Amino acid sequence: MKFLKFFSLLIITLLSTGCVTIPFNEVPKPTGDKNIGTESIELIDIDRLEWFTEDPQDLRKIMIQIWYPTDDLDGEKELYIDYGELRIEALASQFDYSPFLFKKLIDVETNSIKKAEPSTQSSFPLIIFSHGLGGNRTQNTVIIEELTSHGYVVIAIEHAYDANISIFDNGDVADYRSGINYERRNTQKITPEEFWAIRLPQLETRAEDVSYIIDQLELGNLPENIVNIIDLENIGVFGHSFGGATSIYSSYNDHRIDACINLDGWMVVVPDEIVDNGINKNFMYLGQEQWDEKLNYQKLDKFVKSNTKSSKILIPNTTHYDFSDAPHMTKVAKLLNKSGKVKSKNLKNILNELIILFFNKNLKNQEIIIDYPMLAKKYQIDLIVEEYIYE
């Protein structure tokens, strides 16, 4: 045991000095029977000013990525990250490491075919994904590809200035501007008024991004061959961390959204009105057993009891980043304390299955009763499950 601790400390030291690079895995193969196409698109909302900048003429601009079923078998595979050098520079800055550490991430390919022709055999429910603060649109590619392979169209939004970095078609960059001044925070407590003056506009901006995407689909302003295969009568949302809060806020304010999943979401930023009233839509929370911020689960417990139909599923021995791609892309995630003690394969499988079952039930109207004890035994994972159903 002492040797393992010493070895882990040695590896962390080497990584932090930039003497070695992190080895990255291939993106796990999805289990569904649909092949996957993908396309990234820049969108400009001409009716909305940018909240994050001071330029009065700056319109809200975001990058999105769409994954969709395709009948194509061959083609160029999409990379896990675009603009690799810029992205690893931003990633390294976020975690205070050398960019060289992430060098091999640039070459990682996904299972998705770049700009493949969408399948014309059916229409597919839509799911919109929202990343966490400092995240990006591909941070949950494993789950997104799994959903697409099972017959969904998934659109991930890269929320400009909330994302670690966004790179637009002309080379312009939106850097990360969503942090609160932590140096000041350590010397003077931020008041509730200051907190909400920052976080609520960010949350509203993100939720408006979600609704804007649905608007553009209804207006036919995205690629026609993709719009034509989307079933806009069945729309789900899911998100990680602040993206989980975004999903709840969007579900509360946009009647077109039918179901919502929150991946270890930051409930503190969800307004009390929504916590008290619920979203009156099917909801699932998947997260770690506890947060250091006790208010987070106090608000979650109140919310799930207020909502019409809710499942709260906690997985012991997991961390916040276990609900992103981190544990599946590299074993080093555990050494850097970005992943817990659960085997990454088992964690991936149970999360994928729970999410697929939830959306199949709520967006495809399948008669499903989720057998949580069976799933826990199947994947050798402990589950803490609470369900609230009010007819």
Side-chain angles (χ1 to χ4, degrees):
M1 182 64 69
K2 289 183 178 179
F3 173 76
L4 289 176
K5 289 183 177 179
F6 171 77
F7 180 73
S8 296
L9 182 61
L10 176 63
I11 293 296
I12 292 172
T13 301
L14 290 171
L15 291 174
S16 64
T17 59
C19 296
V20 296
T21 59
I22 291 178
F24 286 95
N25 305 321
E26 295 179 352
V27 179
K29 300 289 184 185
T31 65
D33 60 1
K34 303 285 191 300
N35 297 325
I36 305 166
T38 190
E39 183 172 350
S40 294
I41 300 170
E42 176 186 293
L43 295 174
I44 302 175
D45 187 347
I46 61 173
D47 296 319
R48 188 162 44 123
L49 295 177
E50 179 57 71
W51 180 81
F52 283 95
T53 65
E54 297 179 358
D55 182 355
Q57 305 300 319
D58 193 8
L59 298 174
R60 179 65 173 170
K61 182 163 63 170
I62 56 175
M63 293 298 300
I64 66 169
Q65 188 162 344
I66 309 176
W67 289 260
Y68 49 86
T70 179
D71 299 323
D72 291 356
L73 299 175
D74 300 304
E76 179 186 356
K77 292 296 177 66
E78 183 64 275
L79 293 173
Y80 186 74
I81 56 172
D82 60 356
Y83 299 95
E85 294 291 346
L86 289 174
R87 286 204 182 272
I88 66 170
E89 189 79 35
L91 188 63
S93 176
Q94 179 179 347
F95 292 105
D96 198 23
Y97 290 130
S98 165
F100 184 72
L101 187 67
F102 302 99
K103 191 72 175 177
K104 293 183 179 178
L105 184 60
I106 293 175
D107 299 320
V108 174
E109 292 183 343
T110 67
N111 301 290
S112 303
I113 302 171
K114 193 172 183 177
K115 294 186 177 181
E117 281 297 316
S119 174
T120 58
Q121 297 179 3
S122 181
S123 66
F124 306 97
L126 171 69
I127 298 174
I128 297 174
F129 173 73
S130 176
H131 61 75
L133 289 178
N136 73 339
R137 66 183 188 266
T138 65
Q139 68 163 66
N140 281 71
T141 293
V142 174
I143 292 174
I144 289 172
E145 288 193 334
E146 181 72 11
L147 282 164
T148 309
S149 78
H150 283 268
Y152 291 91
V153 173
V154 183
I155 298 180
I157 303 172
E158 197 158 82
H159 302 284
Y161 302 104
D162 267 337
N164 176 255
I165 190 173
S166 292
I167 305 103
F168 298 106
D169 291 345
N170 66 355
D172 285 350
V173 167
D175 56 348
Y176 177 67
R177 300 187 185 183
S178 292
I180 288 177
N181 189 328
Y182 284 98
E183 184 177 335
R184 177 182 179 280
R185 183 176 178 177
N186 290 334
T187 58
Q188 180 183 349
K189 187 175 181 180
I190 289 176
T191 67
E193 291 78 15
E194 289 174 317
F195 176 87
W196 288 110
I198 295 171
R199 294 308 186 197
L200 187 56
Q202 291 174 346
L203 190 60
E204 291 172 340
T205 297
R206 286 166 151 260
E208 287 171 358
D209 289 344
V210 173
S211 293
Y212 172 69
I213 295 304
I214 302 174
D215 292 342
Q216 296 310 296
L217 289 168
E218 289 182 338
L219 292 169
N221 290 338
L222 291 175
E224 183 179 6
N225 57 352
I226 296 177
V227 173
N228 288 341
I229 67 168
I230 297 177
D231 174 10
L232 289 175
E233 295 302 314
N234 289 286
I235 299 175
V237 292
F238 77 116
H240 175 247
S241 195
F242 203 175
T246 303
S247 297
I248 290 174
Y249 196 90
S250 296
S251 298
Y252 184 77
N253 288 287
D254 196 320
H255 71 277
R256 297 169 294 185
I257 296 171
D258 302 297
C260 174
I261 291 179
N262 189 320
L263 297 177
D264 208 46
W266 192 23
M267 295 296 299
V268 173
V269 296
V270 178
D272 289 339
E273 177 187 3
I274 299 177
V275 171
D276 293 339
N277 295 333
I279 56 176
N280 196 30
K281 294 169 185 177
N282 288 337
F283 172 78
M284 176 184 282
Y285 185 96
L286 294 165
Q288 57 188 313
E289 188 171 6
Q290 65 182 31
W291 276 59
D292 293 336
E293 200 171 7
K294 291 184 179 179
L295 180 60
N296 205 62
Y297 277 0
Q298 290 172 359
K299 293 187 75 168
L300 172 64
D301 288 340
K302 193 171 184 179
F303 172 77
V304 294
K305 292 173 184 176
S306 300
N307 201 43
T308 307
K309 295 182 180 180
S310 294
S311 299
K312 172 188 169 186
I313 304 169
L314 307 183
I315 305 178
N317 299 312
T318 56
T319 72
H320 189 56
Y321 288 96
D322 276 325
F323 298 88
S324 69
D325 286 343
H328 316 307
M329 298 303 293
T330 177
K331 293 181 179 179
V332 175
K334 291 190 184 299
L335 295 176
L336 298 177
N337 297 318
K338 302 303 180 186
S339 179
K341 298 178 182 179
V342 179
K343 290 183 178 179
S344 62
K345 183 177 180 180
N346 291 350
L347 180 62
K348 169 183 70 71
N349 288 339
I350 199 166
L351 288 177
N352 281 349
E353 187 157 349
L354 285 168
I355 290 169
I356 292 290
L357 289 172
F358 175 86
F359 282 131
N360 281 354
K361 180 178 181 179
N362 293 297
L363 301 183
K364 294 185 176 182
N365 299 315
Q366 295 181 4
E367 293 292 331
I368 293 173
I369 297 176
I370 301 177
D371 188 336
Y372 297 106
M374 182 276 291
L375 288 176
K377 183 178 180 180
K378 178 180 178 181
Y379 296 117
Q380 300 177 330
I381 289 180
D382 293 330
L383 293 178
I384 301 170
V385 181
E386 297 177 22
E387 288 194 283
Y388 303 87
I389 301 175
Y390 307 109
E391 298 295 348

